[in-house]
Amino acid sequence: MIKEKLEPDVHTQRENRGIQKNDIESQSSLDSGLSHFGFGVPANVVIVRYGELALKSSGIRNWYEKILIKNIVAMLDSRGIPYSHIRREWGRIFIESTDARAAEAAADVFGIVSTSPALMAEPSLEKAARMCASLAQDLIQEGESFAIRARRSGNHPFSSADVGKTCGDAVWSALEKEGKHPRVNLSSPDREIFVEMRQKMAYIYLETFKGVGGLPLGTQGSMVVLISGGLDSPVAAWLMMKRGVMIIPVYCHNSPYAENAARERAFECIRQLQKWAPGYQFTTYEIPHGPNLQSFIDLCNRKNTCLLCKRMMYREAYEVMKKEGASGIITGSSLGQVASQTAANMHAEIYQLSIPLYHPLISFDKTEIMDIARKIGTYDISNRPAGGCAAVPERPEIGANYDLIVLEEQKMNIETMVFSALKNTKVLKL
Amino acid sequence: MIKEKLEPDVHTQRENRGIQKNDIESQSSLDSGLSHFGFGVPANVVIVRYGELALKSSGIRNWYEKILIKNIVAMLDSRGIPYSHIRREWGRIFIESTDARAAEAAADVFGIVSTSPALMAEPSLEKAARMCASLAQDLIQEGESFAIRARRSGNHPFSSADVGKTCGDAVWSALEKEGKHPRVNLSSPDREIFVEMRQKMAYIYLETFKGVGGLPLGTQGSMVVLISGGLDSPVAAWLMMKRGVMIIPVYCHNSPYAENAARERAFECIRQLQKWAPGYQFTTYEIPHGPNLQSFIDLCNRKNTCLLCKRMMYREAYEVMKKEGASGIITGSSLGQVASQTAANMHAEIYQLSIPLYHPLISFDKTEIMDIARKIGTYDISNRPAGGCAAVPERPEIGANYDLIVLEEQKMNIETMVFSALKNTKVLKL
């Protein structure tokens, strides 16, 4: 394979809002109502860019890219988007599809930095220039300024500057002939045409969708996630999925201290997360947690109920983690979000336990968590009324003494409680 | 105190880039070169807004607000910005200062959502209208459209709609008189004038700076942070500071496996973080880590050096944590960023240890980390050449067997090694 040198380029940015697409606002050259190449010339390929993968060693990169392509295929299939061919070419994946939804769907695949619906042409100056001119005639209106953004990789008898100049001249002449008084403006043009000249093909495109980023799902092993159905835990799960982690949802059912609506809400959140993982099937564990709460209320200081509850959930999740061969446990904890989420309490929750916990939201503000929840489609689900947990005391501990918590636990047979909860656990495919 | 009902408002957003201010681009009504109220009428007060605090119970909120004001005072003092008075008033803090830098400085204080340099007036329709008209004459040019954004809280004989109408009429008349052909445009005006009518005072302002958010520094206890001087760990530290945590930096010095430049770079990062915590003095621990590395290299399988090193750092940091009465240990780990940062390795790093670790960057992409590093001023420091760690093996473990790691450690007297490192630790005030 020829090692290609990529020259820098500039992209228009269009915010991709994930699976909920109805609120997308285009910030691209196509604002005037044209959709993709929907003006007679349909896009026939999607350029897919993935950033961080390029930094890996060739063995790991090769493996990551294969998983990435598998995940793209699953995403296109899950949305019923047809494509004729997907290929990999040094630093890029190309999806051959004329479906206008393909670029947005690919942008929702973890590991992808950006996508562009494009037109393919032979990698010659003449072909690229002709195509730019033809596009420009439809795209650029009287009085609008334009710029050609050219980049080049591979071996050609011309430079990227030559590509820019030849295509720019062709656009200028075509507009001039139509009496549109063309203007070139390289710093802030009204319209941009991007030309990417590669070894085997040239690609011409007008807009770029921002991808979700991260690493391909399935490349970073699996972790258990404690899903409550509230705003935080689904966002924590999604962030770790974004980083390549396959999740194993665990729902601790607090009945009779929680309503069934809470369970339904949690399951709905898991189903929504599942949409971000087409081609994978989560294994969900539903653990009966009510009897544990009953013991804490009966036997321990009431203000410690929530701390004891958390410690028990971690122990139960740890058993699931070991059974599933997973590597950690994800929580939705965010420091200081509620009065009882103090650093002292979080220390007490894990004191003398040896469990690999991950709190991806630990430094997040509530507003940041809400923004992500909206983007990933769990916000409205988590906001459904589901009743609170009736076991929460009026005044929970906020500055826990962790030695005391250990003494509290000695009043019960913790191991038997964990064993009993797991024995009555349901394994679900939601 | 009168319970005030706040009506919704709209703010112009201006991205605040933290302590490095030279790259700020204004997106406010003041783009035409005017600075704050620098056109003859200087702002005399800064409106300070803090979001999440408002959700806390009154006792906690009161305590948080006091710390917030203390932190604002320290930030103003650290930048030599004079002010005459700072006061608190139901959901807002007001800094009386005519220094144009005061609003930006306050926006850099953790816990603050936004700030606006403003003009104070008596809370009457007439005064507010007159002030709006006077501002508009300087601000609004011929042909530009404008909007008044009014909100009101407290008891007044008029509504927020009345405020908007009266001020709007006054602006319109003043511009009309000057022959500027005024136009009102509520959806996307060229210029906006904000009027906040409160019980004791009216505030008129033109722009809003985005604050760093989070919770007031010092409200969430303290944590140890392992600072290497690379890109990640200072960002991890800053994010936890943003969330209210006072940090205790720990630098493990790998000499003779690391150059002194690495140490200098780490210290420089700590000094930069210190700028975000005026009024507080970090206590930095420098732990000699080279002898530990020597033992791992001499006695254990070479591929495990980095895992053993991490486990030892966590143990040492844990001792510092206990000594300082802190609640956790912050790391810069980001899943999958390098080949050895696998979930399996991270599990092995903590296996059988019971240490409260926080990895705020666990789900972050490298590009996201770099963006924050630039914003907080550590990027250029971390990018200085400092040489790598010479103890890193050619092929580090990527899928650690954690039982094996424990066996490796049994070849050494880990407790003595921790004890010896701590005995030779330096405590610094950088």
Side-chain angles (χ1 to χ4, degrees), chain A residues 121-328:
Chain A
E122 281 171 36
S124 75
L125 285 180
E126 296 69 33
K127 288 272 183 185
R130 211 178 307 150
M131 210 172 265
C132 285
S134 157
L135 270 177
Q137 286 176 318
D138 285 322
L139 177 73
I140 300 170
Q141 305 304 311
E142 158 77 31
E144 288 183 332
S145 61
F146 74 94
I148 305 289
R149 308 297 190 194
R151 68 187 309 201
R152 199 190 57 75
S153 59
N155 291 314
H156 302 99
F158 47 79
S159 69
S160 65
D162 295 333
V163 176
K165 187 170 182 331
T166 309
C167 294
D169 287 348
V171 168
W172 206 88
S173 303
L175 296 173
E176 171 87 325
K177 206 177 286 172
E178 287 189 314
K180 281 182 176 168
H181 306 98
R183 283 183 303 124
V184 171
N185 181 340
L186 295 181
S187 56
S188 69
D190 296 316
R191 303 287 178 178
E192 290 174 299
I193 299 176
F194 298 86
V195 184
E196 190 164 324
M197 189 69 75
R198 296 175 70 92
Q199 188 61 34
K200 293 181 193 156
M201 280 289 173
Y203 299 87
I204 293 142
Y205 61 95
L206 304 176
E207 62 173 345
T208 295
F209 294 86
K210 193 165 182 261
V212 284
L215 295 172
L217 185 65
T219 60
Q220 303 301 316
S222 62
M223 292 190 190
V224 167
V225 57
L226 286 162
I227 293 276
S228 70
L231 263 171
D232 301 330
S233 52
V235 171
W238 187 87
L239 283 172
M240 293 304 282
M241 289 168 70
K242 190 198 85 162
R243 208 54 209 167
V245 175
M246 179 61 186
I247 59 162
I248 300 155
V250 165
Y251 174 69
C252 293
H253 194 20
N254 290 348
S255 171
Y257 297 97
E259 294 170 32
N260 205 44
R263 180 175 173 270
E264 278 313 306
R265 193 179 65 167
F267 285 4
E268 208 49 52
C269 283
I270 294 167
R271 288 191 194 100
Q272 178 63 22
L273 290 171
Q274 180 73 71
K275 291 186 192 166
W276 289 91
Y280 298 84
Q281 168 68 60
F282 297 160
T283 302
T284 298
Y285 286 76
E286 182 188 349
I287 302 180
H289 199 57
N292 298 332
L293 293 174
Q294 187 67 58
S295 301
F296 304 148
I297 290 172
D298 291 347
L299 302 171
C300 305
N301 188 325
R302 208 54 187 90
K303 71 173 184 172
N304 291 325
T305 305
C306 294
L307 284 172
L308 293 162
C309 166
K310 266 278 177 70
R311 287 173 67 85
M312 189 55 103
M313 284 189 189
Y314 291 162
R315 287 186 175 101
E316 290 164 352
Y318 190 54
E319 295 305 315
V320 174
M321 182 195 119
K322 285 190 287 186
K323 179 171 173 286
E324 290 278 346
S327 304

Side-chain angles (χ1 to χ4, degrees), chain B residues 307-318:
Chain B
L307 284 172
L308 293 162
C309 167
K310 267 276 175 72
R311 287 173 67 85
M312 188 56 98
M313 285 189 189
Y314 291 162
R315 286 185 176 100
E316 290 163 354
Y318 190 54

Side-chain angles (χ1 to χ4, degrees), chain A residues 56 214 243 335-336 353-354 365, chain B residues 56 214 243 335-336 353-354 365:
Chain A
K56 311 289 176 196
R243 208 54 209 167
L335 190 65
L353 300 180
S354 179
D365 288 354
Chain B
K56 311 289 176 197
R243 208 55 208 166
L335 190 65
L353 300 180
S354 180
D365 289 355

Side-chain angles (χ1 to χ4, degrees), chain A residues 52-65, chain B residues 337-339 395 398:
Chain A
E52 217 164 317
L53 272 59
L55 301 171
K56 311 289 176 196
S57 72
S58 64
I60 289 181
R61 194 174 58 235
N62 192 41
W63 177 60
Y64 276 26
E65 284 172 346
Chain B
Q337 192 189 97
V338 293
R395 292 186 170 278
I398 60 166

Side-chain angles (χ1 to χ4, degrees), chain A residues 223-226 232-243 245 247 314 328-335 337 346 356-365 368-369 372, chain B residues 239-240 242-243 333 335 357-364 368:
Chain A
M223 292 190 190
V224 167
V225 57
L226 286 162
D232 301 330
S233 52
V235 171
W238 187 87
L239 283 172
M240 293 304 282
M241 289 168 70
K242 190 198 85 162
R243 208 54 209 167
V245 175
I247 59 162
Y314 291 162
I329 293 159
I330 304 161
T331 87
S333 294
S334 166
L335 190 65
Q337 193 189 97
M346 288 188 70
L357 288 181
Y358 295 95
H359 316 287
L361 304 181
I362 190 70
S363 74
F364 280 48
D365 288 354
E368 295 171 308
I369 296 168
I372 300 175
Chain B
L239 283 173
M240 294 304 283
K242 189 197 84 162
R243 208 55 208 166
S333 295
L335 190 65
L357 288 180
Y358 295 95
H359 316 286
L361 305 180
I362 190 71
S363 74
F364 280 49
E368 294 171 308

